[in-house]
C-alpha cells in the first residue's frame, strides 16, 4: 500500500506557473506508475498526465500538452506536475494517483489516490 499527499496548489493569474508535488510513503514508489487527474466543480474527473515507473515514458491530455510536464524522483519518493501558461479552465482540484497496472489515462487503473490540492487560475 502507498499513501499519497499532494501539495503546491494555490491561486495564480492566467499565464502563471505552479508546480505540484506528490509525496509517497509506504511501498516502494518506483513500483508504481503515477498519474495526475483533475476535477472541476460540476465536471467529471479528467486525466491530465501520467508517467511510467522509471520515468522514461510520459503521456499527456491534449488540453495540457506543451504546457504541463510530469516528472518523478524515485529517490525522493516524489512525483511532480509542472504547470506553465496556466489558463482559467485549468482551475480544478488536482489529484495524484499510483497504479500497479501501468497507469495511463483511465482512472480505474489507479489503485491509490491523494486527497487533492486546489489550483485556481484567475483571468
Amino acid at each position: 500500500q502507498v499513501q499519497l499527499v499532494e501539495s503546491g496548489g494555490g491561486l495564480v493569474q492566467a499565464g502563471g506557473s505552479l508546480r505540484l508535488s506528490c509525496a509517497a510513503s509506504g511501498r516502494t514508489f518506483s513500483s508504481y506508475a503515477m498519474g495526475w487527474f483533475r476535477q472541476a466543480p460540476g465536471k467529471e474527473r479528467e486525466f491530465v498526465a501520467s508517467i511510467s515507473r522509471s520515468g522514461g515514458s510520459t503521456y499527456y491530455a491534449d488540453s495540457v500538452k506543451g504546457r504541463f510536464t510530469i516528472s518523478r524522483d524515485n529517490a525522493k519518493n516524489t512525483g511532480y506536475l509542472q504547470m506553465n501558461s496556466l489558463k482559467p479552465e485549468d482551475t480544478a482540484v488536482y489529484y495524484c494517483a499510483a497504479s500497479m497496472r501501468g497507469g495511463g489515462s483511465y482512472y480505474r487503473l489507479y489503485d491509490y489516490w491523494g486527497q487533492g490540492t486546489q489550483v485556481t487560475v484567475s483571468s
Side-chain angles (χ1 to χ4, degrees):
Q1 189 157 347
V2 64
Q3 293 77 42
L4 304 172
V5 178
E6 302 96 336
S7 61
L11 173 64
V12 64
Q13 288 188 331
S17 298
L18 283 174
R19 187 174 83 153
L20 305 183
S21 297
C22 177
S25 60
R27 280 194 61 178
T28 306
F29 182 57
S30 59
S31 299
Y32 299 88
M34 196 189 80
W36 287 93
F37 291 76
R38 65 187 182 186
Q39 188 165 19
K43 295 188 176 181
E44 294 186 351
R45 182 167 21 188
E46 176 188 21
F47 169 75
V48 176
S50 66
I51 188 166
S52 61
R53 292 176 178 86
S54 67
S57 178
T58 57
Y59 179 51
Y60 296 92
D62 287 343
S63 59
V64 306
K65 202 173 294 183
R67 299 188 298 123
F68 291 12
T69 302
I70 189 172
S71 62
R72 64 191 297 163
D73 185 338
N74 287 340
K76 294 182 178 179
N77 290 341
T78 304
Y80 304 97
L81 184 68
Q82 177 67 44
M83 305 186 295
N84 298 329
S85 302
L86 282 160
K87 304 175 181 180
E89 51 264 44
D90 294 318
T91 295
V93 177
Y94 282 71
Y95 299 91
C96 70
S99 169
M100 295 193 71
R101 292 170 282 177
S105 62
Y106 188 39
Y107 74 93
R108 290 192 183 274
L109 291 177
Y110 290 83
D111 304 288
Y112 303 101
W113 294 81
Q115 83 289 348
T117 185
Q118 177 70 47
V119 171
T120 304
V121 184
S122 63
S123 57

